[in-house]
Amino acid sequence: MRKNSIKNTRVNTEVQRELSSLIRGGIKDPRIAPMTSVVAVEVAPDLKTCKAYISVLGDAKAQADTLKGLESAEGYIRRELAHSLNMRNTPEIRFILDQSIEYGVRMSQKIDNVTKDLKKEDD
């Protein structure tokens, strides 16, 4: 199975959907921030491993605590994925903090500041 095949895309979408619903409602760990979202999921073509890109709204401590909480609940998450998805292998999940949303917000603020300064110079 190629990495960009239709089957792999479908598996990525299903794992992302199930993982986000598990994080939202199934895990009771207090370390996991309530504003946690699954940005993207990449399942390997052999269905053995999975990279889950997680975005956490909060400070650095909340992000670190959320990653620790998710890593400790990985066994539970895999078991629940195995029950909900009909796959031969349930992938081993590696959680990666995705900071692209924060980066985009910072860049947008910088652009706004520059355009504000340009407008002041024009006036």
Side-chain angles (χ1 to χ4, degrees), residues 31-33 36 56-68:
R31 294 178 289 184
I32 298 175
T36 302
V56 179
L57 185 65
D59 59 348
K61 184 183 182 316
Q63 293 173 351
D65 287 346
T66 299
L67 279 179
K68 287 179 187 174

Side-chain angles (χ1 to χ4, degrees), residues 5-122:
S5 68
I6 294 171
K7 180 181 175 186
N8 197 317
T9 304
R10 200 173 322 134
V11 167
N12 289 343
T13 305
E14 284 297 312
V15 170
Q16 180 178 357
R17 185 175 55 81
E18 288 297 325
L19 187 60
S20 64
S21 69
L22 271 173
I23 289 173
R24 187 175 45 248
I27 301 174
K28 304 296 184 217
D29 194 336
R31 294 178 289 184
I32 298 175
M35 295 297 289
T36 302
S37 61
V38 181
V39 177
V41 170
E42 291 179 4
V43 178
D46 62 354
L47 304 177
K48 300 279 187 192
T49 60
C50 170
K51 293 179 186 175
Y53 296 95
I54 305 296
S55 176
V56 179
L57 185 65
D59 59 348
K61 184 183 182 316
Q63 293 173 351
D65 287 346
T66 299
L67 279 179
K68 287 179 187 174
L70 287 172
E71 288 168 1
S72 69
E74 195 229 340
Y76 170 77
I77 293 171
R78 282 185 73 185
R79 185 174 68 240
E80 292 299 317
L81 281 178
H83 289 304
S84 62
L85 299 176
N86 186 16
M87 294 171 56
R88 180 178 296 141
N89 298 319
T90 305
E92 180 180 327
I93 304 168
R94 197 172 90 213
F95 295 101
I96 300 169
L97 187 64
D98 183 39
Q99 297 178 336
S100 62
I101 295 173
E102 292 177 24
Y103 178 77
V105 169
R106 279 197 316 266
M107 283 292 130
S108 178
Q109 289 173 346
K110 288 180 181 181
I111 291 171
D112 289 343
N113 289 339
V114 168
T115 56
K116 207 181 302 180
D117 292 341
L118 288 175
K119 287 181 182 178
K120 287 180 183 177
E121 289 177 5
D122 288 343

